[in-house]
Amino acid sequence: MKDKSEIKREVQEFYDQYGWKQIGEGLYQNSRYEDLRPVSEEYVQRCRERVKRYLPERGRLILDGGSGPIQYGEYEEYSRGFAHRVCLDISRLALMEARKRIGDHGLFVVGDLANLPFKPEAFDAAVSMHVIYHLPMEDQESAFREFFRVLSPGGEAVVIYSWGEHSKLMCLARLPIKMGGWLLRQYSQLRFGKDRPLKMGDKEIDNETRELLTRPGLYSFKHDYNWLQERVGDLPRFEVRAWRTVSSAFLRALVHRQFFGRYWLRLLYRLEERFPRFLGRWGQYPMVLFEKPDGNSQKAKRG
Ligand SMILES: C[S@@+](CC[C@H](N)C(=O)[O-])C[C@H]1O[C@@H](n2cnc3c(N)ncnc32)[C@H](O)[C@@H]1O
């Protein structure tokens, strides 16, 4: 088995050499994990926008742990009311790209999420999306606790995690996803034969890009809901809510414009709003919330 430092070195090398390599205007190799088709656009954007609801509107410093290049416009909104966004990442390329996006609004730090190089209570808010499950499994609890340590009293944190194979709903969808994928391949063969265009979202891609996109992925380890509750459920105002119920594989295989995909996704979004705890627990991507109490204020329950 690989040790912790080996895993981290591999993750860092992956992102420096491939993950954050641009393959189009503002598009990275890492974007292959997202469904970029117009039919899913509204749903995935609204899911990203959800995060902002659980962060303070303004403050001095917000930490973006494992910021990457701040890939999407919705991400930029999280720090709109803050003096600075502190982007921390183990990939230098990620931070160079992030600097291009947010310039002086950002402060850029190469570091490890499981061992933050910041003093306690330095941040008014903290956010981390799709990072903790790329940390070695034994470091993941430390990453949550480090986030808590650096929050100032009254500060709030949002972590997007993935249940991976522990997501019951995505397990149920496994066979339909396989069948949908198979049907799509047959259709594409029939329609285009050998000259099948290579696409990412709606854009055609060349062979060089295809090679980049088909590189093996990198280390990830997803704990389940019980692990999370046991290890970090004691954090103040800890809560798990839905960020996004379905995986990109589900979207690509089963959601299509011709079958009213956009409307099904609107319905799904509404269900996530109505049943955030249920879908947060059983769907693909939970949003993990916690706060540092400030002793004075009694905060209202989250909606
Ligand atoms: C899947 S990307 C997510 C990037 C961004 N948060 C987003 O949602 O687009 C994971 C990011 O976490 C960074 N990362 C992985 N392990 C890390 C660690 N131990 N400490 C800090 N950053 C890490 C990677 O370099 C990469 O930029």
Side-chain angles (χ1 to χ4, degrees), residues 62-84:
I62 177 170
L63 171 64
D64 185 346
S67 65
I70 315 181
Q71 292 192 73
Y72 304 109
E74 298 80 39
Y75 285 4
E76 286 185 44
E77 293 303 312
Y78 307 159
S79 57
R80 185 73 63 202
F82 288 78
H84 291 288

Side-chain angles (χ1 to χ4, degrees), residues 35 37-40 176-177 179-185 187 248-265:
D35 178 19
R37 295 167 312 144
V39 66
S40 304
I177 291 175
M179 286 167 58
W182 182 82
L183 282 172
L184 275 179
R185 281 192 299 279
Y187 169 74
S248 295
F250 180 101
L251 292 171
R252 288 192 197 116
L254 300 175
V255 174
H256 300 286
R257 182 176 52 82
Q258 297 83 345
F259 301 115
F260 313 107
R262 199 179 302 240
Y263 299 98
W264 288 115
L265 291 177

Side-chain angles (χ1 to χ4, degrees), residues 73-268:
E74 298 80 39
Y75 285 4
E76 286 185 44
E77 293 303 312
Y78 307 159
S79 57
R80 185 73 63 202
F82 288 78
H84 291 288
R85 180 181 192 127
V86 178
C87 298
L88 172 127
D89 206 292
I90 49 168
S91 155
R92 276 171 196 277
L93 182 58
L95 298 175
M96 278 155 55
E97 291 289 317
R99 190 199 291 271
K100 283 188 207 156
R101 287 204 177 232
I102 62 168
D104 289 349
H105 177 55
L107 301 167
F108 304 93
V109 181
V110 177
D112 180 4
L113 205 61
N115 198 358
L116 292 174
F118 306 118
K119 62 179 192 201
E121 307 191 346
F123 296 94
D124 301 310
V127 65
S128 180
M129 292 160 298
H130 306 286
V131 183
I132 295 193
Y133 54 88
H134 289 300
L135 265 57
M137 58 191 278
E138 63 273 34
D139 268 8
Q140 297 189 12
E141 180 179 347
S142 316
F144 279 100
R145 300 223 171 257
E146 277 291 84
F147 245 44
F148 182 71
R149 180 182 68 79
V150 300
L151 274 184
S152 62
E156 298 174 84
V158 180
V159 174
I160 307 300
Y161 195 71
S162 168
W163 301 132
E165 297 184 350
H166 308 293
S167 161
K168 289 277 182 295
L169 291 173
M170 286 304 99
C171 281
L172 287 174
R174 211 174 278 160
L175 188 62
I177 291 175
K178 265 195 174 162
M179 286 167 58
W182 182 82
L183 282 172
L184 275 179
R185 281 192 299 279
Q186 302 309 308
Y187 169 74
S188 168
Q189 282 282 349
L190 273 178
R191 182 153 174 215
F192 302 108
K194 281 213 172 93
D195 300 327
R196 188 156 58 107
L198 306 172
K199 284 191 161 188
M200 185 157 176
D202 248 17
K203 291 193 183 113
E204 285 200 21
I205 55 173
D206 56 31
N207 278 326
E208 196 188 329
T209 310
R210 184 199 175 108
E211 206 189 304
L212 257 182
L213 291 176
T214 47
R215 289 196 64 80
L218 79 163
Y219 173 90
S220 68
F221 187 93
K222 286 112 174 178
H223 289 287
D224 65 10
Y225 180 82
N226 291 333
W227 177 90
L228 193 80
Q229 278 288 352
E230 242 168 59
R231 297 303 184 96
V232 292
D234 61 316
L235 291 173
R237 282 173 61 90
F238 174 90
E239 208 181 334
V240 174
R241 289 182 165 235
W243 180 69
R244 201 171 101 185
T245 305
V246 295
S247 62
S248 295
F250 180 101
L251 292 171
R252 288 192 197 116
L254 300 175
V255 174
H256 300 286
R257 182 176 52 82
Q258 297 83 345
F259 301 115
F260 313 107
R262 199 179 302 240
Y263 299 98
W264 288 115
L265 291 177
R266 280 187 191 157
L267 176 65
L268 177 59

